[in-house]
Amino acid sequence: MAVDSPIFKEPVVTFGVLTDVQYADCDDRIASYDPSKTRFYRGSLNQVDEAFGHWEKPGSKVKFVLQLGDIIDGLNRFHGGSHLGLRRTLEHFEQHSSIPTFHTVGNHELYNFDRKELASLFYESVMKINVPLEMFHPVKPAEDYSTSTTPILYYKFSPVPNLKCISLDCFDVSVLGYNSQHPKYQEASKVLYSKHGHDVFDDWDCDGSLQGLDVRFQQMNGAIGEEQLAWLSQELKESDELGQKVIVFGHVSLHPDSSDWNCLLWNYEEVMKVFHQHNCVIAYFSGHTHASGYALDTHGISYIAFTGILETPPDTSAFATVSYYEDRLEVHGHGLERSYSIPLQGLKDAKGASSTVVENEVEQSPTTVKVEV
């Protein structure tokens, strides 16, 4: 007689997710890439407040929030509003200090600030919300860096003992946030030149003559560098040994079936290969594409792209409440965001799987993954 597996009725932890706030003190305007969409620059902060209003309702168990990048828009830099825009936006997160927000870096932050300044501004914000040290231990950025070194913008935290969250810096190798003499800028510019055939910076931000998966090679994307990949692998190895599960998050998409290809990380295959060498990763969360997307890879890892707040009309919303159970992930989408029920029993053993191949074609979402639009 078969014995049903236990159903875990209480989540291990519950948290919020939102992305692409892209606040700017600007009038609404039509999105240049899609004339059917409107960008609500000032209204985006109302969307943040609505999300926290839901998460702070009596009986809510939300413990923290993941902000998946592009917290302010690049327009701020054109009228000297970068610092004011970021400060105004962060205040809408900091006033909810009982639910700390963990940020990941997006391309729009790097349109406004270099990496040194951005690291200091985010550190100041984190220190205002008093995150418990057993959950996260922030490192104060150095006051001075050499021309070839910059602050590290990737990190990890553990909201509960058996779950680790890892924030990736998807612009580690990039032409954003570095001066043109920095080794990582030069590495990135060589990649873009090899794909586009020219060195016109602004024209690196379009498909141009690129086709297929090569459309990801744009200056609004980037790559994970070798040091960060090694750090990621070591963190996943530690989680394997501790019996932890891991949720990874970053601004740019990793799986080709989770978003438009022009929103993919340049070296997404290398990152997925690292995931597949370990048993602990259950999901990767991203923003950037401004639309909901889902993919499941051959190792049972889910890749979820979340809807951007910026293009969400004021009469609706776009955020998610995620509950991690020992046997599943429940993603409750609000407003324009999708909902998912994702079982975790299907995770494959990395030790018995090939670590050299990443499938570009994902299996269709199985019936055990329930998606609600």
Side-chain angles (χ1 to χ4, degrees):
M1 176 174 157
V3 178
D4 292 335
S5 57
I7 300 297
F8 296 94
K9 295 182 179 180
E10 291 297 322
V12 176
V13 68
T14 297
F15 58 95
V17 179
L18 52 73
T19 189
D20 294 275
V21 176
Q22 290 185 228
Y23 168 77
D25 186 13
C26 298
D27 294 337
D28 300 345
R29 64 178 65 179
I30 300 300
S32 59
Y33 75 99
D34 185 347
S36 71
K37 295 183 177 182
T38 300
R39 298 192 147 190
F40 304 95
Y41 290 103
R42 295 191 183 98
S44 63
L45 296 185
N46 295 331
Q47 295 284 353
V48 173
D49 292 340
E50 181 175 345
F52 275 97
H54 176 82
W55 293 326
E56 290 182 328
K57 286 181 178 179
S60 172
K61 297 182 179 180
V62 171
K63 186 171 183 177
F64 63 94
V65 170
L66 301 182
Q67 188 278 115
L68 302 181
D70 281 2
I71 196 171
I72 62 171
D73 195 85
L75 289 175
N76 287 280
R77 73 190 189 277
F78 293 120
H79 51 79
S82 295
H83 284 86
L84 178 60
L86 183 61
R87 179 86 312 269
R88 182 175 293 166
T89 304
L90 286 174
E91 286 174 355
H92 283 256
F93 292 87
E94 293 163 359
Q95 65 186 350
H96 307 283
S97 59
S98 63
I99 307 177
T101 298
F102 294 88
H103 304 278
T104 196
V105 63
N107 48 305
H108 278 263
E109 286 91 338
L110 296 173
Y111 296 153
N112 285 279
F113 304 102
D114 65 32
R115 299 170 68 87
K116 299 175 185 179
E117 193 168 23
L118 185 64
S120 294
L121 292 168
F122 273 132
Y123 176 79
E124 291 172 5
S125 180
V126 168
M127 296 307 292
K128 291 180 179 180
I129 58 178
N130 298 318
V131 182
L133 289 179
E134 65 270 17
M135 184 176 180
F136 176 60
H137 196 291
V139 178
K140 184 177 181 179
E143 294 184 1
D144 188 32
Y145 289 87
S146 70
T147 57
S148 61
T149 60
T150 50
I152 291 174
L153 297 180
Y154 50 89
Y155 63 93
K156 54 105 180 264
F157 69 96
S158 293
V160 290
N162 56 352
L163 178 69
K164 178 186 289 183
C165 296
I166 292 178
S167 173
L168 294 182
D169 174 6
C170 295
F171 303 91
D172 186 7
V173 178
S174 169
V175 292
L176 304 179
Y178 296 108
N179 69 62
S180 60
Q181 301 306 309
H182 193 281
K184 289 189 175 180
Y185 180 102
Q186 294 183 348
E187 180 182 351
S189 65
K190 289 177 182 177
V191 171
L192 291 171
Y193 181 85
S194 72
K195 297 295 182 179
H196 290 264
H198 62 74
D199 57 4
V200 182
F201 185 90
D202 289 342
D203 290 345
W204 281 340
D205 204 18
C206 62
D207 293 359
S209 61
L210 302 178
Q211 296 182 354
L213 285 166
D214 275 358
V215 299
R216 71 187 188 275
F217 291 103
Q218 301 189 30
Q219 51 105 317
M220 68 174 181
N221 302 320
I224 304 293
E226 291 183 6
E227 289 185 10
Q228 187 178 176
L229 283 172
W231 171 84
L232 173 63
S233 184
Q234 182 58 39
E235 287 296 329
L236 298 184
K237 179 177 181 291
E238 178 188 76
S239 291
D240 283 341
E241 294 169 351
L242 294 175
Q244 291 177 317
K245 296 302 182 186
V246 176
I247 294 174
V248 186
F249 63 106
H251 187 59
V252 182
S253 301
L254 285 184
H255 198 293
D257 288 356
S258 68
S259 75
D260 292 338
W261 289 351
N262 59 11
C263 290
L264 280 173
L265 192 77
W266 293 352
N267 63 335
Y268 70 89
E269 292 174 298
E270 289 185 80
V271 180
M272 291 175 68
K273 178 180 175 181
V274 173
F275 287 178
H276 294 170
Q277 291 169 345
H278 302 274
N279 300 324
C280 53
V281 180
I282 58 176
Y284 176 78
F285 294 169
S286 61
H288 198 36
T289 184
H290 291 206
S292 295
Y294 177 84
L296 182 72
D297 75 13
T298 54
H299 289 239
I301 301 171
S302 291
Y303 300 79
I304 305 177
F306 290 84
T307 299
I309 277 181
L310 175 65
E311 292 154 0
T312 300
D315 60 350
T316 186
S317 57
F319 63 94
T321 305
V322 180
S323 292
Y324 163 60
Y325 296 79
E326 291 185 30
D327 63 344
R328 67 193 187 277
L329 273 181
E330 296 285 348
V331 180
H332 179 202
H334 304 267
L336 300 181
E337 193 56 78
R338 290 183 180 180
S339 295
Y340 309 88
S341 180
I342 305 168
L344 302 180
Q345 301 97 319
L347 291 172
K348 294 186 178 180
D349 187 347
K351 296 178 182 177
S354 170
S355 62
T356 59
V357 177
V358 173
E359 298 290 346
N360 280 340
E361 293 192 7
V362 70
E363 306 168 26
Q364 292 297 318
S365 299
T367 55
T368 50
V369 176
K370 298 178 182 178
V371 181
E372 299 174 10
V373 180

